[in-house]
Amino acid sequence: MKRIGEVALALGLSVDTLRYYEKIGLVKNIQRNGSGVRCYQESDIARLRFVKRAQKIGFSLGEIASLLNFRGNPQKAKPLVRELALQKLTELEQHLKEITALRDELSQLVNLCNATPEGCPILDSFETD
Amino acid sequence: MKRIGEVALALGLSVDTLRYYEKIGLVKNIQRNGSGVRCYQESDIARLRFVKRAQKIGFSLGEIASLLNFRGNPQKAKPLVRELALQKLTELEQHLKEITALRDELSQLVNLCNATPEGCPILDSFETD
DNA sequence: GCTTGACCTGAAGTTGGCTCCAAGTCATAA
DNA sequence: TTATGACTTGGAGCCAACTTCAGGTCAAGC
Protein backbone atom coordinates (compact mmCIF):
# COMPACT_ATOMS: atom_id res chain seq x y z
CA MET A 1 0.00 0.00 0.00
CA LYS A 2 2.39 2.69 -1.19
CA ARG A 3 1.60 6.28 -1.88
CA ILE A 4 2.27 7.89 -5.22
CA GLY A 5 5.53 9.52 -4.17
CA GLU A 6 7.04 6.27 -2.96
CA VAL A 7 5.96 4.47 -6.10
CA ALA A 8 7.40 7.21 -8.29
CA LEU A 9 10.70 7.02 -6.46
CA ALA A 10 10.79 3.24 -6.55
CA LEU A 11 10.08 3.04 -10.28
CA GLY A 12 11.97 6.10 -11.43
CA LEU A 13 8.86 7.79 -12.79
CA SER A 14 7.47 11.19 -11.83
CA VAL A 15 4.27 11.48 -9.85
CA ASP A 16 2.83 13.37 -12.79
CA THR A 17 3.61 10.46 -15.05
CA LEU A 18 1.86 8.06 -12.67
CA ARG A 19 -1.24 10.24 -12.58
CA TYR A 20 -1.05 10.55 -16.35
CA TYR A 21 -0.95 6.76 -16.74
CA GLU A 22 -4.04 6.54 -14.61
CA LYS A 23 -5.77 9.25 -16.61
CA ILE A 24 -5.22 7.44 -19.91
CA GLY A 25 -6.35 4.15 -18.40
CA LEU A 26 -3.01 2.38 -18.47
CA VAL A 27 -3.39 1.60 -14.79
CA LYS A 28 -6.88 1.34 -13.36
CA ASN A 29 -8.79 1.25 -10.12
CA ILE A 30 -6.07 2.53 -7.87
CA GLN A 31 -7.45 2.44 -4.32
CA ARG A 32 -7.87 5.62 -2.33
CA ASN A 33 -7.71 6.10 1.41
CA GLY A 34 -10.21 8.20 3.35
CA SER A 35 -8.56 11.45 2.22
CA GLY A 36 -8.57 10.54 -1.46
CA VAL A 37 -4.87 9.70 -1.53
CA ARG A 38 -3.86 6.98 -3.99
CA CYS A 39 -2.76 3.70 -2.39
CA TYR A 40 -0.88 1.50 -4.82
CA GLN A 41 -1.04 -2.23 -4.22
CA GLU A 42 1.69 -4.65 -5.21
CA SER A 43 -0.34 -5.66 -8.26
CA ASP A 44 -0.54 -2.05 -9.40
CA ILE A 45 3.18 -1.68 -9.06
CA ALA A 46 3.74 -4.89 -10.99
CA ARG A 47 1.53 -3.49 -13.73
CA LEU A 48 3.59 -0.32 -13.78
CA ARG A 49 6.79 -2.30 -14.02
CA PHE A 50 5.24 -4.13 -16.95
CA VAL A 51 4.53 -0.78 -18.59
CA LYS A 52 8.08 0.40 -18.05
CA ARG A 53 9.63 -2.75 -19.39
CA ALA A 54 7.42 -2.89 -22.44
CA GLN A 55 8.12 0.75 -23.13
CA LYS A 56 11.83 0.08 -22.97
CA ILE A 57 11.38 -2.64 -25.57
CA GLY A 58 9.95 -0.02 -27.85
CA PHE A 59 6.21 -0.38 -27.48
CA SER A 60 4.08 2.76 -27.40
CA LEU A 61 1.70 3.35 -24.50
CA GLY A 62 -1.19 2.41 -26.77
CA GLU A 63 0.41 -0.88 -27.68
CA ILE A 64 1.20 -1.51 -24.04
CA ALA A 65 -2.47 -1.01 -23.22
CA SER A 66 -3.25 -3.79 -25.71
CA LEU A 67 -0.59 -6.03 -24.19
CA LEU A 68 -2.07 -5.44 -20.75
CA ASN A 69 -5.50 -6.41 -22.00
CA PHE A 70 -4.07 -9.58 -23.52
CA ARG A 71 -2.56 -10.43 -20.18
CA GLY A 72 -5.88 -11.58 -18.75
CA ASN A 73 -6.04 -14.41 -21.25
CA PRO A 74 -2.60 -15.81 -22.08
CA GLN A 75 -3.84 -18.65 -24.30
CA LYS A 76 -5.76 -16.36 -26.60
CA ALA A 77 -3.06 -13.76 -26.28
CA LYS A 78 -0.09 -15.71 -27.52
CA PRO A 79 -0.55 -15.34 -31.28
CA LEU A 80 -1.62 -11.72 -30.94
CA VAL A 81 1.36 -10.82 -28.81
CA ARG A 82 3.68 -12.70 -31.12
CA GLU A 83 2.34 -10.79 -34.07
CA LEU A 84 2.72 -7.46 -32.30
CA ALA A 85 6.28 -8.35 -31.30
CA LEU A 86 7.19 -9.46 -34.82
CA GLN A 87 5.75 -6.30 -36.27
CA LYS A 88 7.70 -4.21 -33.78
CA LEU A 89 10.81 -6.19 -34.66
CA THR A 90 10.33 -5.39 -38.33
CA GLU A 91 9.93 -1.72 -37.52
CA LEU A 92 13.12 -1.75 -35.49
CA GLU A 93 15.06 -3.47 -38.29
CA GLN A 94 13.82 -0.88 -40.75
CA HIS A 95 14.67 1.94 -38.39
CA LEU A 96 18.10 0.43 -37.91
CA LYS A 97 18.74 0.34 -41.65
CA GLU A 98 17.77 3.96 -42.08
CA ILE A 99 19.90 5.20 -39.25
CA THR A 100 22.87 3.16 -40.39
CA ALA A 101 22.58 4.69 -43.84
CA LEU A 102 22.45 8.18 -42.37
CA ARG A 103 25.39 7.45 -40.13
CA ASP A 104 27.47 6.21 -43.06
CA GLU A 105 26.60 9.15 -45.23
CA LEU A 106 27.37 11.68 -42.55
CA SER A 107 30.54 9.89 -41.56
CA GLN A 108 31.74 10.05 -45.13
CA LEU A 109 31.03 13.76 -45.23
CA VAL A 110 33.02 14.36 -42.07
CA ASN A 111 35.95 12.37 -43.45
CA LEU A 112 35.78 14.37 -46.62
CA CYS A 113 35.79 17.51 -44.53
CA ASN A 114 38.95 16.38 -42.75
CA ALA A 115 40.64 15.74 -46.07
CA THR A 116 39.66 19.00 -47.71
CA PRO A 117 41.91 21.94 -46.90
CA GLU A 118 39.46 24.67 -47.80
CA GLY A 119 35.78 25.22 -48.49
CA CYS A 120 33.12 23.19 -46.73
CA PRO A 121 32.36 19.91 -48.43
CA ILE A 122 29.46 19.25 -46.09
CA LEU A 123 27.62 22.38 -47.09
CA ASP A 124 28.62 21.79 -50.71
CA SER A 125 27.09 18.34 -50.61
CA PHE A 126 23.71 19.84 -49.82
CA GLU A 127 23.91 22.20 -52.77
CA THR A 128 24.27 19.76 -55.61
CA ASP A 129 21.78 17.22 -56.83
CA MET B 1 9.36 31.43 -61.53
CA LYS B 2 7.26 28.54 -60.31
CA ARG B 3 4.14 28.71 -58.23
CA ILE B 4 3.80 26.93 -54.93
CA GLY B 5 1.88 23.97 -56.36
CA GLU B 6 4.53 23.23 -58.96
CA VAL B 7 7.31 23.51 -56.42
CA ALA B 8 5.49 21.23 -54.01
CA LEU B 9 5.02 18.65 -56.74
CA ALA B 10 8.61 18.93 -57.92
CA LEU B 11 10.08 18.53 -54.44
CA GLY B 12 7.61 16.08 -52.97
CA LEU B 13 6.50 18.47 -50.26
CA SER B 14 3.00 19.74 -49.56
CA VAL B 15 2.08 23.34 -50.28
CA ASP B 16 1.30 23.68 -46.60
CA THR B 17 4.79 22.58 -45.74
CA LEU B 18 6.23 25.17 -48.10
CA ARG B 19 4.16 27.92 -46.53
CA TYR B 20 5.19 26.62 -43.10
CA TYR B 21 8.87 26.77 -44.04
CA GLU B 22 8.38 30.35 -45.08
CA LYS B 23 6.58 31.17 -41.85
CA ILE B 24 9.39 29.84 -39.68
CA GLY B 25 11.97 31.68 -41.78
CA LEU B 26 13.62 28.66 -43.34
CA VAL B 27 13.07 30.18 -46.77
CA LYS B 28 12.84 33.92 -47.05
CA ASN B 29 11.80 36.71 -49.36
CA ILE B 30 9.80 34.64 -51.78
CA GLN B 31 8.64 36.99 -54.54
CA ARG B 32 4.94 37.63 -55.10
CA ASN B 33 3.15 38.51 -58.30
CA GLY B 34 0.51 41.23 -58.53
CA SER B 35 -2.13 38.99 -56.91
CA GLY B 36 0.05 38.03 -53.97
CA VAL B 37 0.83 34.59 -55.35
CA ARG B 38 4.25 33.21 -54.42
CA CYS B 39 6.75 32.96 -57.28
CA TYR B 40 9.66 30.68 -56.44
CA GLN B 41 12.95 31.40 -58.18
CA GLU B 42 15.55 28.77 -58.94
CA SER B 43 17.58 29.91 -55.95
CA ASP B 44 14.59 29.40 -53.65
CA ILE B 45 14.11 25.91 -54.98
CA ALA B 46 17.81 25.16 -54.50
CA ARG B 47 17.45 26.33 -50.92
CA LEU B 48 14.50 24.03 -50.44
CA ARG B 49 16.43 21.11 -51.88
CA PHE B 50 19.17 21.93 -49.40
CA VAL B 51 16.59 21.78 -46.62
CA LYS B 52 15.30 18.43 -47.81
CA ARG B 53 18.70 16.91 -48.12
CA ALA B 54 19.91 18.13 -44.74
CA GLN B 55 16.71 16.89 -43.17
CA LYS B 56 17.28 13.48 -44.67
CA ILE B 57 20.74 13.43 -43.10
CA GLY B 58 19.03 13.84 -39.75
CA PHE B 59 19.27 17.56 -39.04
CA SER B 60 16.31 19.28 -37.42
CA LEU B 61 14.75 22.31 -39.07
CA GLY B 62 16.43 24.51 -36.47
CA GLU B 63 19.82 23.05 -37.25
CA ILE B 64 19.16 23.44 -40.94
CA ALA B 65 18.42 27.11 -40.38
CA SER B 66 21.88 27.40 -38.83
CA LEU B 67 23.47 25.56 -41.73
CA LEU B 68 21.74 27.89 -44.16
CA ASN B 69 23.10 30.89 -42.30
CA PHE B 70 26.59 29.41 -42.43
CA ARG B 71 26.26 29.05 -46.14
CA GLY B 72 26.88 32.72 -46.76
CA ASN B 73 30.40 32.44 -45.36
CA PRO B 74 32.01 29.07 -46.12
CA GLN B 75 35.42 29.92 -44.67
CA LYS B 76 34.02 30.85 -41.29
CA ALA B 77 31.46 28.10 -41.57
CA LYS B 78 33.75 25.14 -41.94
CA PRO B 79 34.66 24.46 -38.31
CA LEU B 80 31.10 25.17 -37.16
CA VAL B 81 29.57 22.85 -39.70
CA ARG B 82 32.14 20.19 -38.91
CA GLU B 83 31.30 20.40 -35.26
CA LEU B 84 27.57 20.19 -35.92
CA ALA B 85 28.12 17.21 -38.20
CA LEU B 86 30.33 15.43 -35.67
CA GLN B 87 27.80 16.03 -32.93
CA LYS B 88 25.03 14.68 -35.10
CA LEU B 89 27.20 11.69 -35.90
CA THR B 90 27.65 10.96 -32.20
CA GLU B 91 23.91 11.17 -31.70
CA LEU B 92 23.31 8.75 -34.53
CA GLU B 93 25.85 6.27 -33.13
CA GLN B 94 24.18 6.41 -29.74
CA HIS B 95 20.76 5.99 -31.27
CA LEU B 96 22.06 3.06 -33.25
CA LYS B 97 23.35 1.32 -30.14
CA GLU B 98 20.06 1.72 -28.34
CA ILE B 99 17.98 0.43 -31.19
CA THR B 100 20.29 -2.51 -31.74
CA ALA B 101 19.94 -3.44 -28.10
CA LEU B 102 16.16 -3.28 -28.34
CA ARG B 103 16.19 -5.28 -31.51
CA ASP B 104 18.30 -8.01 -29.93
CA GLU B 105 16.17 -8.20 -26.84
CA LEU B 106 12.91 -8.37 -28.75
CA SER B 107 14.35 -10.85 -31.20
CA GLN B 108 15.31 -13.12 -28.35
CA LEU B 109 11.81 -12.89 -26.96
CA VAL B 110 10.28 -13.85 -30.29
CA ASN B 111 12.62 -16.82 -30.59
CA LEU B 112 11.70 -17.89 -27.09
CA CYS B 113 8.08 -17.59 -28.09
CA ASN B 114 8.62 -19.89 -31.05
CA ALA B 115 10.27 -22.44 -28.82
CA THR B 116 7.66 -22.41 -26.10
CA PRO B 117 4.61 -24.60 -26.76
CA GLU B 118 2.24 -22.88 -24.37
CA GLY B 119 1.91 -19.71 -22.37
CA CYS B 120 3.27 -16.42 -23.62
CA PRO B 121 6.93 -15.87 -22.79
CA ILE B 122 6.80 -12.33 -24.11
CA LEU B 123 4.12 -11.28 -21.68
CA ASP B 124 5.80 -13.32 -18.95
CA SER B 125 9.03 -11.46 -19.53
CA PHE B 126 7.33 -8.22 -18.65
CA GLU B 127 5.99 -9.64 -15.41
CA THR B 128 9.17 -10.64 -13.67
CA ASP B 129 11.93 -8.43 -12.42
C1' DG C 1 -21.96 34.93 -65.98
C1' DC C 2 -20.73 31.09 -63.40
C1' DT C 3 -18.02 27.40 -61.88
C1' DT C 4 -13.74 25.35 -60.86
C1' DG C 5 -9.39 25.07 -58.95
C1' DA C 6 -5.25 27.13 -57.35
C1' DC C 7 -3.96 30.30 -54.45
C1' DC C 8 -4.12 33.54 -50.16
C1' DT C 9 -4.45 34.50 -44.76
C1' DG C 10 -4.27 33.76 -39.63
C1' DA C 11 -5.33 30.65 -36.38
C1' DA C 12 -6.22 26.38 -34.42
C1' DG C 13 -5.59 21.34 -34.22
C1' DT C 14 -2.67 16.98 -34.29
C1' DT C 15 0.61 13.47 -32.28
C1' DG C 16 2.78 11.20 -27.94
C1' DG C 17 4.26 11.47 -23.66
C1' DC C 18 4.63 13.87 -20.53
C1' DT C 19 5.20 18.40 -17.42
C1' DC C 20 3.63 22.26 -15.06
C1' DC C 21 0.23 25.28 -12.80
C1' DA C 22 -3.11 27.15 -9.43
C1' DA C 23 -5.81 26.34 -5.82
C1' DG C 24 -7.14 23.37 -2.35
C1' DT C 25 -6.91 19.32 1.42
C1' DC C 26 -4.69 16.86 4.95
C1' DA C 27 -1.48 14.91 8.49
C1' DT C 28 2.48 15.59 11.07
C1' DA C 29 6.31 17.99 13.58
C1' DA C 30 8.11 21.92 16.24
C1' DT D 1 -0.97 26.52 16.29
C1' DT D 2 1.14 27.08 12.51
C1' DA D 3 4.18 25.81 9.04
C1' DT D 4 5.71 22.26 6.09
C1' DG D 5 5.36 19.00 2.68
C1' DA D 6 2.90 15.37 0.36
C1' DC D 7 -1.01 14.82 -1.67
C1' DT D 8 -5.53 16.14 -4.57
C1' DT D 9 -7.93 18.20 -8.99
C1' DG D 10 -8.81 20.02 -13.79
C1' DG D 11 -6.73 22.10 -17.16
C1' DA D 12 -3.04 24.29 -19.73
C1' DG D 13 1.53 24.12 -21.84
C1' DC D 14 5.43 21.88 -24.23
C1' DC D 15 8.08 19.85 -28.25
C1' DA D 16 8.61 19.31 -33.57
C1' DA D 17 6.89 19.39 -37.83
C1' DC D 18 3.44 19.74 -39.86
C1' DT D 19 -1.93 19.66 -41.09
C1' DT D 20 -6.41 21.41 -41.20
C1' DC D 21 -9.82 24.93 -41.15
C1' DA D 22 -12.66 28.91 -42.29
C1' DG D 23 -13.26 32.33 -45.18
C1' DG D 24 -11.61 35.00 -49.01
C1' DT D 25 -9.27 36.39 -53.83
C1' DC D 26 -8.31 35.59 -58.48
C1' DA D 27 -7.76 33.81 -63.42
C1' DA D 28 -9.26 30.67 -66.85
C1' DG D 29 -12.61 27.84 -69.30
C1' DC D 30 -17.45 26.73 -70.71
Side-chain angles (χ1 to χ4, degrees):
Chain A
M1 285 302 203
K2 287 186 183 161
R3 298 167 64 142
I4 197 168
E6 298 173 85
V7 176
L9 192 64
L11 295 182
L13 297 168
S14 76
V15 294
D16 281 315
T17 299
L18 289 179
R19 284 194 277 253
Y20 170 69
Y21 284 176
E22 190 176 348
K23 190 163 68 181
I24 65 171
L26 210 49
V27 288
K28 285 170 188 160
N29 307 322
I30 304 297
Q31 282 189 6
R32 305 298 181 107
N33 71 10
S35 325
V37 172
R38 289 170 183 81
C39 295
Y40 289 82
Q41 292 179 280
E42 252 330 294
S43 61
D44 299 320
I45 295 171
R47 201 174 165 93
L48 283 165
R49 270 196 292 261
F50 180 106
V51 171
K52 256 201 104 179
R53 228 170 279 122
Q55 201 179 21
K56 207 171 169 187
I57 293 286
F59 289 98
S60 71
L61 295 186
E63 290 165 332
I64 294 170
S66 303
L67 289 174
L68 283 165
N69 285 335
F70 292 157
R71 217 156 62 133
N73 193 338
Q75 285 312 314
K76 227 179 191 167
K78 197 182 180 192
L80 294 168
V81 172
R82 234 184 72 89
E83 185 169 349
L84 205 51
L86 274 174
Q87 183 189 315
K88 183 58 61 181
L89 198 53
T90 307
E91 278 172 34
L92 284 179
E93 298 280 9
Q94 184 57 34
H95 204 160
L96 217 47
K97 262 188 216 160
E98 284 163 13
I99 295 183
T100 303
L102 283 184
R103 196 260 322 259
D104 292 346
E105 189 167 353
L106 193 54
S107 170
Q108 233 175 357
L109 283 176
V110 170
N111 285 341
L112 186 60
C113 188
N114 290 341
T116 307
E118 58 188 66
C120 183
I122 297 178
L123 287 182
D124 291 349
S125 79
F126 296 148
E127 310 255 352
T128 52
D129 277 318
Chain B
M1 286 302 202
K2 288 185 183 161
R3 297 167 64 143
I4 199 170
E6 299 173 83
V7 177
L9 193 63
L11 295 182
L13 297 169
S14 76
V15 295
D16 286 312
T17 299
L18 290 178
R19 283 194 278 251
Y20 170 69
Y21 284 175
E22 190 176 348
K23 190 164 70 182
I24 65 172
L26 211 48
V27 288
K28 285 170 187 160
N29 307 322
I30 304 297
Q31 281 189 6
R32 305 297 181 109
N33 71 10
S35 324
V37 172
R38 288 171 184 80
C39 295
Y40 288 82
Q41 292 180 279
E42 253 329 296
S43 61
D44 299 321
I45 296 171
R47 202 173 164 92
L48 283 166
R49 270 195 292 260
F50 180 106
V51 171
K52 258 200 102 180
R53 226 171 281 120
Q55 200 178 24
K56 207 172 168 186
I57 292 286
F59 289 99
S60 71
L61 295 187
E63 290 165 333
I64 294 169
S66 302
L67 289 174
L68 283 165
N69 285 336
F70 292 157
R71 217 157 62 133
N73 193 339
Q75 285 313 314
K76 226 180 192 169
K78 198 181 180 193
L80 294 168
V81 172
R82 234 184 71 87
E83 185 169 350
L84 205 51
L86 273 174
Q87 184 189 316
K88 183 59 61 179
L89 198 54
T90 307
E91 279 172 34
L92 284 179
E93 298 280 9
Q94 183 57 34
H95 204 161
L96 215 48
K97 261 188 215 162
E98 284 163 12
I99 295 183
T100 304
L102 283 184
R103 196 262 322 260
D104 292 346
E105 190 168 352
L106 192 54
S107 170
Q108 233 175 356
L109 283 176
V110 170
N111 284 341
L112 186 59
C113 187
N114 290 341
T116 307
E118 58 188 69
C120 183
I122 297 178
L123 287 182
D124 292 350
S125 80
F126 296 149
E127 310 257 351
T128 53
D129 277 316

Short mmCIF file of all heavy atoms in Angstrom, two decimals, chain A residues 30-57:
data_model
loop_
_atom_site.label_atom_id
_atom_site.label_comp_id
_atom_site.label_asym_id
_atom_site.label_seq_id
_atom_site.Cartn_x
_atom_site.Cartn_y
_atom_site.Cartn_z
N ILE A 30 -6.98 2.34 -9.00
CA ILE A 30 -6.07 2.53 -7.87
C ILE A 30 -6.92 2.88 -6.65
O ILE A 30 -7.76 3.77 -6.72
CB ILE A 30 -5.07 3.67 -8.16
CG1 ILE A 30 -4.30 3.41 -9.46
CG2 ILE A 30 -4.12 3.86 -6.99
CD1 ILE A 30 -3.44 2.19 -9.43
N GLN A 31 -6.69 2.17 -5.56
CA GLN A 31 -7.45 2.44 -4.32
C GLN A 31 -7.13 3.81 -3.76
O GLN A 31 -6.05 4.35 -3.98
CB GLN A 31 -7.11 1.39 -3.25
CG GLN A 31 -7.81 0.07 -3.47
CD GLN A 31 -7.62 -0.86 -2.28
OE1 GLN A 31 -7.05 -0.46 -1.25
NE2 GLN A 31 -8.10 -2.09 -2.41
N ARG A 32 -8.09 4.35 -3.03
CA ARG A 32 -7.87 5.62 -2.33
C ARG A 32 -8.12 5.41 -0.84
O ARG A 32 -9.01 4.63 -0.46
CB ARG A 32 -8.85 6.69 -2.84
CG ARG A 32 -8.85 6.92 -4.34
CD ARG A 32 -7.49 7.41 -4.82
NE ARG A 32 -7.51 7.66 -6.27
CZ ARG A 32 -7.50 8.86 -6.80
NH1 ARG A 32 -7.47 9.93 -6.04
NH2 ARG A 32 -7.52 9.01 -8.12
N ASN A 33 -7.40 6.13 -0.02
CA ASN A 33 -7.71 6.10 1.41
C ASN A 33 -8.80 7.13 1.72
O ASN A 33 -9.33 7.76 0.80
CB ASN A 33 -6.43 6.33 2.25
CG ASN A 33 -5.94 7.78 2.16
OD1 ASN A 33 -6.63 8.65 1.63
ND2 ASN A 33 -4.76 8.02 2.68
N GLY A 34 -9.12 7.30 2.99
CA GLY A 34 -10.21 8.20 3.35
C GLY A 34 -10.04 9.61 2.82
O GLY A 34 -11.03 10.28 2.49
N SER A 35 -8.81 10.07 2.68
CA SER A 35 -8.56 11.45 2.22
C SER A 35 -8.41 11.56 0.71
O SER A 35 -8.01 12.60 0.21
CB SER A 35 -7.30 11.99 2.87
OG SER A 35 -7.13 11.53 4.17
N GLY A 36 -8.67 10.47 0.00
CA GLY A 36 -8.57 10.54 -1.46
C GLY A 36 -7.17 10.30 -1.98
O GLY A 36 -6.93 10.42 -3.19
N VAL A 37 -6.26 9.94 -1.11
CA VAL A 37 -4.87 9.70 -1.53
C VAL A 37 -4.75 8.31 -2.15
O VAL A 37 -5.30 7.34 -1.62
CB VAL A 37 -3.93 9.82 -0.32
CG1 VAL A 37 -2.52 9.39 -0.68
CG2 VAL A 37 -3.93 11.25 0.20
N ARG A 38 -4.05 8.26 -3.31
CA ARG A 38 -3.86 6.98 -3.99
C ARG A 38 -3.03 6.01 -3.15
O ARG A 38 -2.00 6.40 -2.59
CB ARG A 38 -3.17 7.18 -5.31
CG ARG A 38 -4.01 7.84 -6.38
CD ARG A 38 -3.15 8.21 -7.58
NE ARG A 38 -3.92 8.92 -8.59
CZ ARG A 38 -4.19 10.22 -8.53
NH1 ARG A 38 -3.76 10.94 -7.52
NH2 ARG A 38 -4.88 10.79 -9.49
N CYS A 39 -3.50 4.76 -3.08
CA CYS A 39 -2.76 3.70 -2.39
C CYS A 39 -2.48 2.58 -3.39
O CYS A 39 -3.39 1.85 -3.76
CB CYS A 39 -3.58 3.15 -1.24
SG CYS A 39 -3.87 4.36 0.05
N TYR A 40 -1.25 2.50 -3.82
CA TYR A 40 -0.88 1.50 -4.82
C TYR A 40 -0.63 0.16 -4.15
O TYR A 40 0.16 0.05 -3.21
CB TYR A 40 0.38 1.95 -5.56
CG TYR A 40 0.15 3.12 -6.51
CD1 TYR A 40 0.14 4.42 -6.04
CD2 TYR A 40 -0.06 2.89 -7.86
CE1 TYR A 40 -0.08 5.49 -6.90
CE2 TYR A 40 -0.27 3.96 -8.73
CZ TYR A 40 -0.28 5.25 -8.25
OH TYR A 40 -0.50 6.30 -9.10
N GLN A 41 -1.29 -0.87 -4.70
CA GLN A 41 -1.04 -2.23 -4.22
C GLN A 41 0.10 -2.84 -5.01
O GLN A 41 0.47 -2.33 -6.08
CB GLN A 41 -2.30 -3.08 -4.42
CG GLN A 41 -3.44 -2.63 -3.53
CD GLN A 41 -4.67 -3.47 -3.76
OE1 GLN A 41 -5.42 -3.24 -4.73
NE2 GLN A 41 -4.87 -4.47 -2.91
N GLU A 42 0.59 -3.98 -4.51
CA GLU A 42 1.69 -4.65 -5.21
C GLU A 42 1.33 -4.93 -6.67
O GLU A 42 2.14 -4.77 -7.57
CB GLU A 42 2.06 -5.96 -4.51
CG GLU A 42 3.38 -5.95 -3.75
CD GLU A 42 4.45 -5.02 -4.33
OE1 GLU A 42 4.92 -5.27 -5.45
OE2 GLU A 42 4.83 -4.04 -3.66
N SER A 43 0.06 -5.31 -6.89
CA SER A 43 -0.34 -5.66 -8.26
C SER A 43 -0.31 -4.43 -9.17
O SER A 43 0.01 -4.53 -10.36
CB SER A 43 -1.74 -6.27 -8.25
OG SER A 43 -2.67 -5.32 -7.72
N ASP A 44 -0.62 -3.28 -8.60
CA ASP A 44 -0.54 -2.05 -9.40
C ASP A 44 0.91 -1.75 -9.78
O ASP A 44 1.19 -1.33 -10.91
CB ASP A 44 -1.10 -0.86 -8.60
CG ASP A 44 -2.56 -1.06 -8.22
OD1 ASP A 44 -3.32 -1.57 -9.06
OD2 ASP A 44 -2.92 -0.71 -7.09
N ILE A 45 1.77 -1.97 -8.82
CA ILE A 45 3.18 -1.68 -9.06
C ILE A 45 3.75 -2.66 -10.08
O ILE A 45 4.53 -2.28 -10.96
CB ILE A 45 3.96 -1.72 -7.72
CG1 ILE A 45 3.43 -0.59 -6.83
CG2 ILE A 45 5.45 -1.57 -7.95
CD1 ILE A 45 3.93 -0.62 -5.42
N ALA A 46 3.31 -3.90 -10.00
CA ALA A 46 3.74 -4.89 -10.99
C ALA A 46 3.29 -4.46 -12.39
O ALA A 46 4.04 -4.55 -13.37
CB ALA A 46 3.15 -6.26 -10.65
N ARG A 47 2.07 -3.95 -12.45
CA ARG A 47 1.53 -3.49 -13.73
C ARG A 47 2.38 -2.33 -14.27
O ARG A 47 2.67 -2.25 -15.46
CB ARG A 47 0.08 -3.04 -13.51
CG ARG A 47 -0.78 -3.00 -14.74
CD ARG A 47 -2.22 -2.68 -14.33
NE ARG A 47 -3.02 -2.28 -15.47
CZ ARG A 47 -3.77 -3.12 -16.19
NH1 ARG A 47 -3.79 -4.40 -15.90
NH2 ARG A 47 -4.48 -2.68 -17.21
N LEU A 48 2.76 -1.46 -13.37
CA LEU A 48 3.59 -0.32 -13.78
C LEU A 48 4.97 -0.76 -14.25
O LEU A 48 5.52 -0.20 -15.21
CB LEU A 48 3.71 0.68 -12.62
CG LEU A 48 2.47 1.54 -12.41
CD1 LEU A 48 2.51 2.23 -11.07
CD2 LEU A 48 2.34 2.56 -13.54
N ARG A 49 5.49 -1.78 -13.58
CA ARG A 49 6.79 -2.30 -14.02
C ARG A 49 6.66 -2.90 -15.42
O ARG A 49 7.53 -2.74 -16.26
CB ARG A 49 7.30 -3.35 -13.02
CG ARG A 49 8.16 -2.73 -11.92
CD ARG A 49 8.95 -3.79 -11.18
NE ARG A 49 8.06 -4.64 -10.40
CZ ARG A 49 7.84 -4.51 -9.10
NH1 ARG A 49 8.48 -3.59 -8.42
NH2 ARG A 49 7.02 -5.33 -8.48
N PHE A 50 5.55 -3.58 -15.62
CA PHE A 50 5.24 -4.13 -16.95
C PHE A 50 5.27 -3.00 -17.98
O PHE A 50 5.90 -3.11 -19.03
CB PHE A 50 3.86 -4.77 -16.90
CG PHE A 50 3.38 -5.39 -18.18
CD1 PHE A 50 3.36 -6.77 -18.34
CD2 PHE A 50 2.94 -4.60 -19.23
CE1 PHE A 50 2.91 -7.34 -19.53
CE2 PHE A 50 2.50 -5.16 -20.42
CZ PHE A 50 2.49 -6.53 -20.56
N VAL A 51 4.59 -1.92 -17.67
CA VAL A 51 4.53 -0.78 -18.59
C VAL A 51 5.94 -0.29 -18.91
O VAL A 51 6.31 -0.10 -20.07
CB VAL A 51 3.70 0.36 -17.98
CG1 VAL A 51 3.83 1.63 -18.82
CG2 VAL A 51 2.24 -0.04 -17.86
N LYS A 52 6.73 -0.11 -17.86
CA LYS A 52 8.08 0.40 -18.05
C LYS A 52 8.92 -0.52 -18.93
O LYS A 52 9.63 -0.07 -19.83
CB LYS A 52 8.78 0.50 -16.68
CG LYS A 52 8.89 1.90 -16.14
CD LYS A 52 9.99 2.00 -15.10
CE LYS A 52 11.24 2.68 -15.63
NZ LYS A 52 12.30 2.79 -14.61
N ARG A 53 8.80 -1.80 -18.65
CA ARG A 53 9.63 -2.75 -19.39
C ARG A 53 9.21 -2.82 -20.85
O ARG A 53 10.04 -2.81 -21.76
CB ARG A 53 9.54 -4.12 -18.72
CG ARG A 53 10.90 -4.73 -18.53
CD ARG A 53 10.84 -5.96 -17.67
NE ARG A 53 10.80 -5.65 -16.27
CZ ARG A 53 9.83 -6.01 -15.43
NH1 ARG A 53 8.80 -6.70 -15.86
NH2 ARG A 53 9.91 -5.67 -14.17
N ALA A 54 7.91 -2.82 -21.06
CA ALA A 54 7.42 -2.89 -22.44
C ALA A 54 7.79 -1.62 -23.21
O ALA A 54 8.12 -1.66 -24.39
CB ALA A 54 5.91 -3.09 -22.44
N GLN A 55 7.77 -0.52 -22.49
CA GLN A 55 8.12 0.75 -23.13
C GLN A 55 9.59 0.74 -23.55
O GLN A 55 9.95 1.21 -24.62
CB GLN A 55 7.86 1.89 -22.15
CG GLN A 55 7.71 3.23 -22.83
CD GLN A 55 7.43 4.34 -21.84
OE1 GLN A 55 7.70 4.22 -20.65
NE2 GLN A 55 6.87 5.43 -22.34
N LYS A 56 10.40 0.16 -22.69
CA LYS A 56 11.83 0.08 -22.97
C LYS A 56 12.10 -0.77 -24.21
O LYS A 56 13.04 -0.53 -24.96
CB LYS A 56 12.54 -0.52 -21.75
CG LYS A 56 13.97 -0.09 -21.62
CD LYS A 56 14.54 -0.53 -20.28
CE LYS A 56 16.04 -0.36 -20.23
NZ LYS A 56 16.59 -0.94 -18.98
N ILE A 57 11.26 -1.77 -24.40
CA ILE A 57 11.38 -2.64 -25.57
C ILE A 57 10.98 -1.89 -26.83
O ILE A 57 11.27 -2.31 -27.95
CB ILE A 57 10.49 -3.90 -25.40
CG1 ILE A 57 11.00 -4.79 -24.28
CG2 ILE A 57 10.38 -4.72 -26.68
CD1 ILE A 57 12.24 -5.55 -24.63
#
